[in-house]
Short mmCIF file of all heavy atoms in Angstrom, two decimals:
data_model
loop_
_atom_site.label_atom_id
_atom_site.label_comp_id
_atom_site.label_asym_id
_atom_site.label_seq_id
_atom_site.Cartn_x
_atom_site.Cartn_y
_atom_site.Cartn_z
N LEU A 14 1.31 -1.45 9.17
CA LEU A 14 1.19 -0.01 9.27
C LEU A 14 0.05 0.39 10.21
O LEU A 14 -0.09 1.59 10.50
CB LEU A 14 0.88 0.58 7.90
CG LEU A 14 2.10 0.61 6.92
CD1 LEU A 14 1.73 1.36 5.68
CD2 LEU A 14 3.36 1.11 7.53
N LEU A 15 -0.72 -0.59 10.73
CA LEU A 15 -1.78 -0.21 11.71
C LEU A 15 -1.20 0.40 12.92
O LEU A 15 -1.87 1.19 13.69
CB LEU A 15 -2.57 -1.45 12.09
CG LEU A 15 -3.76 -1.87 11.20
CD1 LEU A 15 -4.49 -3.06 11.81
CD2 LEU A 15 -4.76 -0.75 11.08
N VAL A 16 0.07 0.17 13.25
CA VAL A 16 0.70 0.72 14.47
C VAL A 16 0.72 2.28 14.38
O VAL A 16 0.68 2.93 15.46
CB VAL A 16 2.15 0.15 14.60
CG1 VAL A 16 3.06 0.71 13.47
CG2 VAL A 16 2.71 0.51 15.98
N PHE A 17 0.62 2.82 13.16
CA PHE A 17 0.66 4.29 13.03
C PHE A 17 -0.73 4.89 12.95
O PHE A 17 -0.89 6.06 12.50
CB PHE A 17 1.45 4.66 11.86
CG PHE A 17 2.87 4.13 11.90
CD1 PHE A 17 3.33 3.31 10.94
CD2 PHE A 17 3.71 4.52 12.87
CE1 PHE A 17 4.71 2.81 10.97
CE2 PHE A 17 5.03 4.07 12.95
CZ PHE A 17 5.45 3.16 11.98
N ARG A 18 -1.77 4.12 13.27
CA ARG A 18 -3.14 4.56 13.33
C ARG A 18 -3.56 5.14 12.00
O ARG A 18 -3.44 4.45 10.98
CB ARG A 18 -3.30 5.51 14.52
CG ARG A 18 -4.74 5.54 15.00
CD ARG A 18 -4.85 6.43 16.24
NE ARG A 18 -6.21 6.56 16.69
CZ ARG A 18 -6.56 7.25 17.71
NH1 ARG A 18 -5.70 7.91 18.46
NH2 ARG A 18 -7.84 7.24 18.16
N ASP A 19 -4.06 6.34 11.96
CA ASP A 19 -4.59 7.02 10.75
C ASP A 19 -3.57 7.99 10.14
O ASP A 19 -3.95 8.88 9.39
CB ASP A 19 -5.85 7.68 10.97
CG ASP A 19 -6.97 6.71 11.49
OD1 ASP A 19 -7.00 5.53 10.96
OD2 ASP A 19 -7.82 7.10 12.28
N ALA A 20 -2.34 7.80 10.38
CA ALA A 20 -1.24 8.72 9.87
C ALA A 20 -1.28 8.71 8.33
O ALA A 20 -1.47 7.62 7.76
CB ALA A 20 0.07 8.39 10.47
N PRO A 21 -1.09 9.83 7.67
CA PRO A 21 -0.90 9.76 6.23
C PRO A 21 0.22 8.80 5.78
O PRO A 21 1.16 8.59 6.54
CB PRO A 21 -0.52 11.27 5.85
CG PRO A 21 -0.99 12.03 7.02
CD PRO A 21 -0.92 11.18 8.23
N LEU A 22 0.12 8.23 4.59
CA LEU A 22 1.03 7.21 4.20
C LEU A 22 2.46 7.68 4.23
O LEU A 22 3.33 7.00 4.68
CB LEU A 22 0.66 6.68 2.83
CG LEU A 22 1.59 5.66 2.23
CD1 LEU A 22 1.50 4.34 3.07
CD2 LEU A 22 1.34 5.40 0.74
N SER A 23 2.71 8.95 3.77
CA SER A 23 4.09 9.47 3.70
C SER A 23 4.67 9.49 5.10
O SER A 23 5.82 9.09 5.29
CB SER A 23 4.12 10.79 3.09
OG SER A 23 3.28 11.73 3.78
N LYS A 24 3.95 9.95 6.10
CA LYS A 24 4.38 10.00 7.48
C LYS A 24 4.66 8.60 8.02
O LYS A 24 5.70 8.34 8.68
CB LYS A 24 3.39 10.74 8.36
CG LYS A 24 3.86 10.81 9.84
CD LYS A 24 2.82 11.49 10.75
CE LYS A 24 3.32 11.47 12.17
NZ LYS A 24 2.32 12.12 13.06
N ALA A 25 3.71 7.69 7.72
CA ALA A 25 3.77 6.29 8.25
C ALA A 25 5.03 5.66 7.70
O ALA A 25 5.84 5.01 8.40
CB ALA A 25 2.58 5.47 7.89
N LEU A 26 5.34 5.87 6.36
CA LEU A 26 6.52 5.21 5.79
C LEU A 26 7.82 5.83 6.30
O LEU A 26 8.80 5.09 6.50
CB LEU A 26 6.41 5.30 4.33
CG LEU A 26 5.28 4.53 3.60
CD1 LEU A 26 5.42 4.70 2.08
CD2 LEU A 26 5.35 3.05 4.02
N ASN A 27 7.79 7.14 6.60
CA ASN A 27 8.94 7.77 7.28
C ASN A 27 9.24 7.19 8.58
O ASN A 27 10.39 6.99 8.95
CB ASN A 27 8.79 9.25 7.37
CG ASN A 27 8.84 9.95 5.99
OD1 ASN A 27 9.39 9.44 4.99
ND2 ASN A 27 8.30 11.18 5.84
N GLN A 28 8.17 6.86 9.35
CA GLN A 28 8.31 6.31 10.68
C GLN A 28 8.82 4.83 10.57
O GLN A 28 9.47 4.33 11.45
CB GLN A 28 6.98 6.43 11.43
CG GLN A 28 6.71 7.82 11.87
CD GLN A 28 5.37 7.97 12.58
OE1 GLN A 28 4.38 7.48 12.10
NE2 GLN A 28 5.41 8.62 13.76
N VAL A 29 8.41 4.10 9.52
CA VAL A 29 8.91 2.76 9.32
C VAL A 29 10.47 2.86 9.13
O VAL A 29 11.18 2.09 9.77
CB VAL A 29 8.34 2.14 8.04
CG1 VAL A 29 9.05 0.80 7.74
CG2 VAL A 29 6.81 1.92 8.19
N VAL A 30 10.91 3.80 8.36
CA VAL A 30 12.36 4.03 8.19
C VAL A 30 13.00 4.35 9.49
O VAL A 30 14.03 3.80 9.85
CB VAL A 30 12.62 5.11 7.17
CG1 VAL A 30 14.09 5.38 7.11
CG2 VAL A 30 12.12 4.72 5.77
N GLU A 31 12.40 5.24 10.29
CA GLU A 31 12.96 5.64 11.58
C GLU A 31 13.03 4.44 12.56
O GLU A 31 13.97 4.44 13.39
CB GLU A 31 12.00 6.77 12.21
CG GLU A 31 12.63 7.32 13.47
CD GLU A 31 11.74 8.40 14.04
OE1 GLU A 31 10.78 8.92 13.34
OE2 GLU A 31 12.00 8.86 15.21
N SER A 32 12.10 3.55 12.45
CA SER A 32 12.08 2.37 13.30
C SER A 32 13.12 1.37 12.92
O SER A 32 13.41 0.44 13.74
CB SER A 32 10.69 1.73 13.33
OG SER A 32 10.45 0.97 12.05
N GLY A 33 13.69 1.48 11.78
CA GLY A 33 14.72 0.54 11.37
C GLY A 33 14.23 -0.64 10.51
O GLY A 33 15.01 -1.47 10.16
N CYS A 34 12.95 -0.68 10.28
CA CYS A 34 12.37 -1.79 9.49
C CYS A 34 12.52 -1.48 8.05
O CYS A 34 12.57 -0.35 7.56
CB CYS A 34 10.85 -2.02 9.83
SG CYS A 34 10.57 -2.54 11.58
N LEU A 35 12.55 -2.58 7.19
CA LEU A 35 12.75 -2.42 5.75
C LEU A 35 11.55 -3.01 4.98
O LEU A 35 11.40 -2.68 3.74
CB LEU A 35 14.00 -3.11 5.31
CG LEU A 35 15.32 -2.64 5.92
CD1 LEU A 35 16.51 -3.61 5.44
CD2 LEU A 35 15.57 -1.24 5.44
N ILE A 36 10.73 -3.78 5.66
CA ILE A 36 9.58 -4.44 4.98
C ILE A 36 8.29 -3.93 5.54
O ILE A 36 8.15 -3.89 6.78
CB ILE A 36 9.74 -6.00 5.06
CG1 ILE A 36 11.11 -6.50 4.58
CG2 ILE A 36 8.58 -6.63 4.21
CD1 ILE A 36 11.30 -7.98 4.81
N VAL A 37 7.33 -3.62 4.64
CA VAL A 37 6.03 -3.04 5.09
C VAL A 37 4.92 -4.00 4.88
O VAL A 37 4.85 -4.67 3.74
CB VAL A 37 5.76 -1.70 4.32
CG1 VAL A 37 4.44 -1.16 4.58
CG2 VAL A 37 6.86 -0.67 4.72
N GLU A 38 4.01 -4.13 5.85
CA GLU A 38 2.73 -4.75 5.56
C GLU A 38 1.70 -3.64 5.51
O GLU A 38 1.34 -3.09 6.53
CB GLU A 38 2.44 -5.74 6.74
CG GLU A 38 1.14 -6.55 6.45
CD GLU A 38 0.99 -7.70 7.38
OE1 GLU A 38 1.46 -8.77 7.12
OE2 GLU A 38 0.29 -7.47 8.47
N LEU A 39 1.20 -3.46 4.30
CA LEU A 39 0.04 -2.48 4.20
C LEU A 39 -1.11 -2.98 4.83
O LEU A 39 -1.44 -4.25 4.80
CB LEU A 39 -0.13 -2.21 2.72
CG LEU A 39 1.07 -1.73 1.85
CD1 LEU A 39 0.84 -1.79 0.38
CD2 LEU A 39 1.38 -0.24 2.29
N ALA A 40 -1.90 -2.13 5.45
CA ALA A 40 -3.03 -2.53 6.31
C ALA A 40 -4.35 -1.90 5.91
O ALA A 40 -4.47 -0.70 5.95
CB ALA A 40 -2.69 -2.28 7.80
N TYR A 41 -5.27 -2.68 5.59
CA TYR A 41 -6.65 -2.25 5.28
C TYR A 41 -7.69 -3.09 5.97
O TYR A 41 -8.16 -4.05 5.35
CB TYR A 41 -6.85 -2.28 3.76
CG TYR A 41 -5.85 -1.47 2.98
CD1 TYR A 41 -4.63 -2.06 2.55
CD2 TYR A 41 -6.05 -0.16 2.62
CE1 TYR A 41 -3.74 -1.39 1.81
CE2 TYR A 41 -5.14 0.64 2.02
CZ TYR A 41 -4.03 -0.01 1.49
OH TYR A 41 -3.02 0.79 0.86
N THR A 42 -7.87 -2.82 7.19
CA THR A 42 -8.83 -3.66 7.97
C THR A 42 -9.95 -2.84 8.52
O THR A 42 -9.76 -1.88 9.26
CB THR A 42 -8.07 -4.29 9.28
OG1 THR A 42 -6.95 -5.08 8.82
CG2 THR A 42 -9.02 -5.13 10.04
N SER A 43 -11.09 -3.08 8.01
CA SER A 43 -12.30 -2.27 8.32
C SER A 43 -12.48 -2.20 9.83
O SER A 43 -12.37 -3.27 10.48
CB SER A 43 -13.56 -2.88 7.66
OG SER A 43 -13.41 -2.85 6.30
N GLY A 44 -12.73 -1.06 10.35
CA GLY A 44 -12.87 -0.79 11.80
C GLY A 44 -11.61 -0.42 12.52
O GLY A 44 -11.61 0.20 13.54
N TYR A 45 -10.46 -0.72 11.83
CA TYR A 45 -9.15 -0.30 12.43
C TYR A 45 -8.38 0.66 11.58
O TYR A 45 -7.60 1.38 12.05
CB TYR A 45 -8.28 -1.58 12.64
CG TYR A 45 -8.95 -2.65 13.48
CD1 TYR A 45 -9.14 -3.92 12.99
CD2 TYR A 45 -9.44 -2.32 14.77
CE1 TYR A 45 -9.83 -4.93 13.79
CE2 TYR A 45 -10.17 -3.27 15.55
CZ TYR A 45 -10.22 -4.53 15.03
OH TYR A 45 -10.90 -5.50 15.81
N ALA A 46 -8.71 0.66 10.30
CA ALA A 46 -8.11 1.65 9.37
C ALA A 46 -9.20 2.30 8.62
O ALA A 46 -10.22 1.72 8.24
CB ALA A 46 -7.13 0.91 8.42
N VAL A 47 -8.96 3.56 8.27
CA VAL A 47 -9.86 4.40 7.57
C VAL A 47 -9.47 4.41 6.10
O VAL A 47 -8.34 4.90 5.72
CB VAL A 47 -9.97 5.85 8.06
CG1 VAL A 47 -10.95 6.71 7.22
CG2 VAL A 47 -10.45 5.84 9.57
N PHE A 48 -10.31 4.00 5.18
CA PHE A 48 -9.98 4.03 3.76
C PHE A 48 -11.21 3.89 2.93
O PHE A 48 -12.24 3.41 3.38
CB PHE A 48 -8.93 2.93 3.39
CG PHE A 48 -9.56 1.52 3.63
CD1 PHE A 48 -10.18 0.79 2.63
CD2 PHE A 48 -9.41 0.93 4.90
CE1 PHE A 48 -10.68 -0.49 2.84
CE2 PHE A 48 -9.89 -0.35 5.13
CZ PHE A 48 -10.48 -1.07 4.12
N ASP A 49 -11.08 4.46 1.65
CA ASP A 49 -12.17 4.31 0.75
C ASP A 49 -11.95 3.07 -0.09
O ASP A 49 -10.94 2.85 -0.64
CB ASP A 49 -12.17 5.51 -0.21
CG ASP A 49 -13.26 5.48 -1.29
OD1 ASP A 49 -13.00 4.86 -2.30
OD2 ASP A 49 -14.37 6.03 -1.03
N GLU A 50 -12.99 2.24 -0.09
CA GLU A 50 -12.87 0.85 -0.65
C GLU A 50 -12.36 0.90 -2.11
O GLU A 50 -11.57 0.07 -2.47
CB GLU A 50 -14.17 0.15 -0.57
CG GLU A 50 -14.25 -1.25 -1.11
CD GLU A 50 -13.82 -2.31 -0.06
OE1 GLU A 50 -13.79 -1.93 1.11
OE2 GLU A 50 -13.62 -3.45 -0.44
N TYR A 51 -12.86 1.80 -2.89
CA TYR A 51 -12.58 1.81 -4.37
C TYR A 51 -11.35 2.58 -4.70
O TYR A 51 -10.59 2.22 -5.58
CB TYR A 51 -13.78 2.31 -5.08
CG TYR A 51 -15.05 1.42 -4.94
CD1 TYR A 51 -16.05 1.76 -3.97
CD2 TYR A 51 -15.13 0.25 -5.66
CE1 TYR A 51 -17.05 0.92 -3.80
CE2 TYR A 51 -16.14 -0.62 -5.50
CZ TYR A 51 -17.17 -0.30 -4.57
OH TYR A 51 -18.27 -1.07 -4.42
N GLU A 52 -11.13 3.68 -3.99
CA GLU A 52 -9.88 4.44 -4.22
C GLU A 52 -8.64 3.67 -3.69
O GLU A 52 -7.59 3.71 -4.38
CB GLU A 52 -9.99 5.79 -3.54
CG GLU A 52 -8.81 6.68 -3.70
CD GLU A 52 -8.93 7.98 -3.04
OE1 GLU A 52 -10.12 8.40 -2.69
OE2 GLU A 52 -7.94 8.70 -2.76
N ALA A 53 -8.72 3.05 -2.51
CA ALA A 53 -7.59 2.49 -1.94
C ALA A 53 -6.98 1.36 -2.79
O ALA A 53 -5.69 1.20 -2.81
CB ALA A 53 -7.96 1.87 -0.55
N PHE A 54 -7.77 0.56 -3.47
CA PHE A 54 -7.28 -0.54 -4.21
C PHE A 54 -7.16 -0.30 -5.77
O PHE A 54 -7.13 -1.23 -6.54
CB PHE A 54 -8.12 -1.76 -3.94
CG PHE A 54 -8.16 -2.13 -2.47
CD1 PHE A 54 -9.37 -2.13 -1.76
CD2 PHE A 54 -7.01 -2.38 -1.77
CE1 PHE A 54 -9.42 -2.39 -0.43
CE2 PHE A 54 -7.01 -2.72 -0.42
CZ PHE A 54 -8.23 -2.67 0.23
N SER A 55 -7.14 0.98 -6.10
CA SER A 55 -7.03 1.29 -7.52
C SER A 55 -5.63 1.17 -8.03
O SER A 55 -4.66 1.14 -7.29
CB SER A 55 -7.48 2.72 -7.76
OG SER A 55 -6.62 3.67 -7.09
N THR A 56 -5.43 1.04 -9.40
CA THR A 56 -4.14 0.90 -9.96
C THR A 56 -3.35 2.24 -9.67
O THR A 56 -2.10 2.15 -9.41
CB THR A 56 -4.26 0.70 -11.52
OG1 THR A 56 -4.89 -0.55 -11.69
CG2 THR A 56 -2.92 0.76 -12.13
N GLN A 57 -3.98 3.40 -9.70
CA GLN A 57 -3.32 4.62 -9.37
C GLN A 57 -2.74 4.59 -7.97
O GLN A 57 -1.62 5.05 -7.80
CB GLN A 57 -4.35 5.79 -9.60
CG GLN A 57 -3.72 7.15 -9.38
CD GLN A 57 -4.73 8.30 -9.53
OE1 GLN A 57 -5.87 8.05 -9.81
NE2 GLN A 57 -4.27 9.52 -9.42
N SER A 58 -3.52 4.16 -7.02
CA SER A 58 -3.08 4.12 -5.67
C SER A 58 -1.93 3.17 -5.56
O SER A 58 -0.93 3.46 -4.82
CB SER A 58 -4.27 3.62 -4.70
OG SER A 58 -3.78 3.52 -3.37
N ALA A 59 -1.98 1.98 -6.17
CA ALA A 59 -0.90 0.99 -6.13
C ALA A 59 0.44 1.63 -6.65
O ALA A 59 1.45 1.43 -6.04
CB ALA A 59 -1.28 -0.19 -6.87
N LYS A 60 0.36 2.28 -7.77
CA LYS A 60 1.54 2.87 -8.37
C LYS A 60 2.11 3.90 -7.42
O LYS A 60 3.38 4.03 -7.28
CB LYS A 60 1.18 3.53 -9.70
CG LYS A 60 0.85 2.49 -10.83
CD LYS A 60 0.55 3.17 -12.15
CE LYS A 60 0.33 2.19 -13.26
NZ LYS A 60 -0.05 2.88 -14.57
N LYS A 61 1.29 4.71 -6.85
CA LYS A 61 1.74 5.79 -5.86
C LYS A 61 2.42 5.18 -4.65
O LYS A 61 3.50 5.61 -4.27
CB LYS A 61 0.59 6.64 -5.43
CG LYS A 61 0.97 7.78 -4.44
CD LYS A 61 -0.26 8.60 -4.07
CE LYS A 61 0.12 9.62 -3.05
NZ LYS A 61 -1.07 10.45 -2.63
#
C-alpha cells in the first residue's frame, strides 16, 4: 500500500481493486508511511 502514499485506507483499498490486485500488503514503514504507533496496531484497528 505504500504505492498510494498517505491516502486514507478506504481510498487505497478501492484503488487496489481498480488495479486488479486481490492481495494486499499493509505497510507501516517509519519515514515512508504516516501512522500512530499505538493506534495503528490496536485490536480495534485490525478489526476495522
Side-chain angles (χ1 to χ4, degrees):
L14 293 188
L15 275 183
V16 68
F17 302 119
R18 205 174 178 181
D19 298 327
L22 180 67
S23 58
K24 178 181 178 181
L26 294 183
N27 288 341
Q28 289 179 308
V29 173
V30 173
E31 186 180 350
S32 73
C34 296
L35 297 175
I36 306 173
V37 171
E38 182 170 276
L39 300 168
Y41 303 89
T42 303
S43 299
Y45 305 122
V47 178
F48 61 94
D49 179 272
E50 182 88 10
Y51 296 99
E52 180 181 340
F54 302 119
S55 66
T56 296
Q57 182 180 3
S58 176
K60 288 180 178 178
K61 180 180 178 181

